[in-house]
Amino acid sequence: YNMTIYRDELDETLSKASTENKTVIIAIVNKAYVEGDKSMLDLFLDGFWLGDDTRRLLNHLLIVAADQTSFHRCKFLHLHCYKLKTEGVEFAGEKIYMSDDFIKMMWRRTSFLGTVLKFGYNFVFTDTDVIWLRNPFSMLSRDESIDLQISTDSFNGNQSSESNLINTGFYMIKSNEKSIKLFDTWYERRDSSPGLKDQDVLLNMMHEGIFKSLGLRVRFLDTLYFSGFCQDSRDVRNVSTVHANCCRSIGAKVTDLTSVVHDWKRFKNYGANGKAKFAWSRHTACQNSWKH
């Protein structure tokens, strides 16, 4: 009989969640994202249930848990789960945007995702504050020569322009020598970049020419299809994902993403026939989150 030999638990978990072409959808959670009357993880999973052609994608979703509580919650939900091992660091509570613990958690994420690439897996990384309304793979390029497709806070109209403001809350990357080198270089910058989160460092590296020097082909994603609170999609009939970016706290994200889900249901019930005029609800909670 055939027996597969895995390098370790991570390799085995990735293999179980992977598509035939070794692609995995990855989201990282901690205790703060799985607790509450309606947790961020619950809301994230609602998107897969309510979205167009998204339910089957749960078979390829890997939830990476930063603490024991979120790992137990993942197992309870019968998802693909992996417990992130981090010695001497507690990642359980909410990490307020740009706090020291928030920055540490973002760098631990970068390190982990670099390991996934080294194991030979392509992946779509998604923050759990991204609602998947449609299967995004239909909007991602099938061009095999593109190494990285990354979301933007605001899109300037040119999918090849490095003037776009990137957001690492949603991106797809291929596993190859170029992408592995990118992540190694990116992670090495953490000690020389005090006070900067991983996304800021990658933005600086891009402006310094790292993509070109590595020969990486990068596509910057149009907010028409991959939108967020920084720049709403102009067309609900085309949007695939909605990211609660430009928002400071989990509570505010949950409030305004719940409105997104209600907007989506309203569109599906009344607006899909083209007769009803559609408008996104205002992201009031997220706008107010910066006042505290």
Side-chain angles (χ1 to χ4, degrees), residues 279-292:
W280 297 105
S281 298
R282 292 186 62 191
H283 316 304
T284 306
C286 283
Q287 291 167 1
N288 290 338
S289 69
W290 297 100
K291 298 177 183 179
H292 305 296

Side-chain angles (χ1 to χ4, degrees), residues 229 244 247-257 285-289:
F229 292 172
C247 194
R248 191 165 183 264
S249 69
I250 293 177
K253 289 172 184 281
V254 168
T255 297
D256 285 348
L257 284 176
C286 283
Q287 291 167 1
N288 290 338
S289 69

Side-chain angles (χ1 to χ4, degrees), residues 32-44:
Y33 281 75
V34 302
E35 293 191 330
D37 294 336
K38 183 72 172 181
S39 73
M40 183 71 79
L41 179 59
D42 292 334
L43 194 58
F44 175 66

Side-chain angles (χ1 to χ4, degrees), residues 20-33:
E20 290 183 358
N21 71 344
K22 297 194 75 173
T23 299
V24 183
I25 302 165
I26 298 177
I28 298 179
V29 299
N30 67 357
K31 180 179 179 181
Y33 281 75

Side-chain angles (χ1 to χ4, degrees), residues 53-283:
D53 191 29
T54 50
R55 293 184 190 180
R56 63 189 176 92
L57 298 179
L58 283 175
N59 296 324
H60 306 296
L61 172 65
L62 173 60
I63 298 293
V64 178
D67 54 66
Q68 201 62 37
T69 300
S70 56
F71 181 68
H72 286 321
R73 180 62 178 166
C74 178
K75 284 293 188 182
F76 177 78
L77 294 168
H78 301 289
L79 302 167
H80 296 293
C81 313
Y82 178 76
K83 173 68 164 57
L84 190 64
K85 299 170 182 65
T86 307
E87 296 296 329
V89 182
E90 177 55 59
F91 284 142
E94 178 176 1
K95 308 306 176 191
I96 296 298
Y97 184 73
M98 290 309 293
S99 66
D100 288 344
D101 282 348
F102 174 87
I103 292 172
K104 287 177 184 176
M105 192 163 70
M106 294 301 99
W107 282 117
R108 182 65 185 95
R109 179 179 84 177
T110 303
S111 172
F112 170 78
L113 294 173
T115 301
V116 173
L117 291 175
K118 289 173 183 175
F119 276 18
Y121 290 90
N122 317 306
F123 63 82
V124 173
F125 177 78
T126 175
D127 279 341
T128 49
D129 62 350
V130 177
I131 299 293
W132 291 38
L133 300 177
R134 291 185 174 88
N135 186 333
F137 288 96
S138 61
M139 295 297 179
L140 292 166
S141 175
R142 293 179 176 82
D143 185 342
E144 289 293 318
S145 68
I146 296 179
D147 303 295
L148 171 64
Q149 301 182 66
I150 188 166
S151 64
T152 58
D153 280 343
S154 57
F155 183 66
N156 68 9
N158 182 350
Q159 66 179 11
S160 301
S161 170
E162 293 186 353
S163 296
N164 283 296
L165 190 60
I166 59 172
N167 189 301
T168 53
F170 182 94
Y171 61 92
M172 182 175 184
I173 190 164
K174 289 174 57 180
S175 173
N176 54 38
E177 291 183 7
K178 294 178 287 184
S179 63
I180 291 170
K181 179 62 176 176
L182 173 69
F183 268 71
D184 283 345
T185 306
W186 188 8
Y187 188 67
E188 288 169 2
R189 289 282 193 101
R190 73 192 186 285
D191 291 332
S192 60
S193 308
L196 295 180
K197 62 181 183 296
D198 59 333
Q199 179 177 291
D200 299 330
V201 173
L202 184 62
L203 182 66
N204 290 341
M205 289 167 59
M206 178 180 73
H207 291 156
E208 292 166 13
I210 186 71
F211 294 162
K212 290 185 175 67
S213 66
L214 291 176
L216 273 166
R217 284 201 62 200
V218 181
R219 177 183 178 227
F220 301 94
L221 298 175
D222 191 340
T223 52
L224 178 69
Y225 309 107
F226 302 91
S227 75
F229 292 172
C230 299
Q231 188 175 63
D232 287 322
S233 172
R234 304 181 304 280
D235 189 352
V236 70
R237 288 173 176 78
N238 281 301
V239 66
S240 290
T241 61
V242 177
H243 186 190
N245 50 10
C246 293
C247 194
R248 191 165 183 264
S249 69
I250 293 177
K253 289 172 184 281
V254 168
T255 297
D256 285 348
L257 284 176
T258 299
S259 295
V260 169
V261 171
H262 292 163
D263 290 344
W264 175 250
K265 289 179 177 178
R266 176 166 48 87
F267 165 72
K268 295 293 285 183
N269 289 333
Y270 305 110
N273 59 14
K275 295 179 181 178
K277 187 175 181 180
F278 177 87
W280 297 105
S281 298
R282 292 186 62 191
H283 316 304

